[in-house]
Amino acid sequence: MLIEHCTVCPRQCGARRDETENVGGFCRMPAAPRLARAALHFGEEPCISGTRGSGTVFFSGCVLSCAFCQNAKISRGGVGKTVTPARLADIFRELEAAGAHNINLVSPTPFVPAIIEALSRYKPHIPIVYNCGGYERVETLKSLEGLVDIYLPDLKYTDRALSLSLSGVEDYFDFAAPAVAEMVRQTGGAVFDADGILQRGTVIRHLVLPGQTRASMAVLDFLKAYKDTALISLMFQYTPMTDIPGYPTLSRRLTRRECEKVWAYMEACGFENGYVQSRESAGVQMIPAFDLTGV
């Protein structure tokens, strides 16, 4: 497959992307999907992982450049294997046969055209989860309408300076805000099965960063508009991966005081539908092995 002038993500870099390994563009990925792992995964929210696991497909490459990324080996390092859309469709089938509650596409944005082709070949009888960093074009999301059942975006920041410093894009919120609105429009409110597994809906994640509690409160202020139409997942499991110039606090884990402060603010905002992931779940041991399992 071939993308002549790529405009899939907000960067709209216009790169020519084909199936070769010599690729351009910010994501440095071919048009055909490059995968690092495809396996049952139990580290998502309870309504996603359930008891049998989420059929998680980890894509290589990323449209952001987060300084604190836990998956830098694949997001920036490019580790992975390029497969055809036909093989991706087979992987969906295999994960479904293994008992997965859903098909969970992690960092899928650069490969939306290939994902659409794969789903045209085989649409699983379990929900499709679009698990992304929130930096999305509404036009790209609209191309997925009717194919994606659950959106699982991050909402990282509202502050332009912070998003530029930590994720390499000043306009993160300019795109993430309408992207979240489009996701919620497509899915509507949360729908669960009899076992409490999410079948349809949007779960908006926010990772609290050390030393940035006010930034998290600003995000929660924005998300108040969605407290009745989406699930909110507040994440305290930040794991320091490297020293980040200008942000010494990001070299440590969150303190209990920081967690308590943001949690209390979340409660004061009136959020009742969602999840809180504790700081005790932090650690490099929680990062999957990107060893081409299932690829």
Side-chain angles (χ1 to χ4, degrees):
M1 60 186 305
L2 172 67
I3 299 175
E4 286 281 7
H5 301 285
C6 188
T7 59
V8 173
C9 85
R11 294 181 184 275
Q12 300 183 67
C13 64
R16 186 181 190 276
R17 299 170 58 203
D18 56 28
E19 296 184 16
T20 71
E21 297 298 313
N22 300 312
V23 294
F26 179 84
C27 68
R28 303 180 302 281
M29 288 292 112
R34 183 177 294 172
L35 313 181
R37 181 180 179 86
L40 297 177
H41 183 58
F42 295 86
E44 311 289 23
E45 287 77 5
C47 67
I48 301 292
S49 291
T51 57
R52 301 195 304 269
S54 177
T56 307
V57 181
F58 287 93
F59 291 88
S60 302
C62 188
V63 300
L64 294 170
S65 56
C66 299
F68 48 85
C69 181
Q70 294 184 12
N71 296 347
K73 181 178 180 180
I74 62 173
S75 66
R76 292 197 291 273
V79 170
K81 177 182 177 181
T82 302
V83 302
T84 64
R87 173 57 190 148
L88 182 59
D90 287 341
I91 289 171
F92 296 162
R93 194 189 306 269
E94 291 162 9
L95 291 170
E96 183 179 26
H101 288 292
N102 44 62
I103 302 298
N104 185 355
L105 311 174
V106 180
S107 298
T109 311
F111 303 108
V112 165
I115 289 168
I116 291 173
E117 181 177 337
L119 289 172
S120 73
R121 291 171 176 271
Y122 181 69
K123 179 68 163 68
H125 298 92
I126 53 178
I128 302 297
V129 182
Y130 191 87
N131 184 340
C132 67
Y135 192 55
E136 302 284 334
R137 293 188 70 206
V138 167
E139 294 83 355
T140 298
L141 295 174
K142 285 184 175 180
S143 72
L144 294 164
E145 187 164 6
L147 298 176
V148 169
D149 304 286
I150 298 167
Y151 282 103
L152 189 59
D154 292 334
L155 202 293
K156 298 177 183 292
Y157 332 90
T158 61
D159 182 84
R160 294 175 68 85
L162 193 61
S163 67
L164 178 61
S165 296
L166 295 182
S167 291
V169 284
E170 188 175 20
D171 59 1
Y172 174 85
F173 185 68
D174 296 340
F175 282 93
V180 165
E182 173 62 18
M183 293 173 188
V184 173
R185 183 197 68 79
Q186 287 187 24
T187 66
V191 177
F192 299 87
D193 68 9
D195 297 318
I197 304 301
L198 191 62
Q199 301 299 296
R200 189 169 182 83
T202 299
V203 183
I204 307 169
R205 289 171 160 173
H206 174 66
L207 176 66
V208 180
L209 301 176
Q212 298 296 331
T213 56
R214 289 187 180 180
S216 290
M217 291 176 184
V219 168
L220 291 173
D221 283 338
F222 168 75
L223 291 178
K224 283 190 288 188
Y226 296 99
K227 64 183 179 182
D228 296 323
T229 53
L231 302 172
I232 308 301
S233 182
L234 190 63
M235 302 189 297
F236 292 121
Q237 73 268 44
Y238 175 81
T239 299
M241 303 300 293
T242 185
D243 291 336
I244 300 174
Y247 292 90
T249 59
L250 296 185
S251 298
R252 62 167 174 81
R253 293 177 59 192
L254 285 161
T255 65
R256 292 190 182 278
R257 172 57 183 155
E258 287 172 323
C259 296
E260 291 168 356
K261 185 177 181 181
V262 178
W263 193 340
Y265 193 78
M266 183 180 186
E267 291 182 327
C269 287
F271 289 100
E272 297 179 351
N273 302 316
Y275 306 91
V276 175
Q277 300 185 43
S278 72
R279 67 189 293 274
E280 282 68 31
S281 62
V284 294
Q285 72 277 3
M286 301 300 293
I287 301 173
F290 300 122
D291 55 4
L292 304 185
T293 294
V295 177

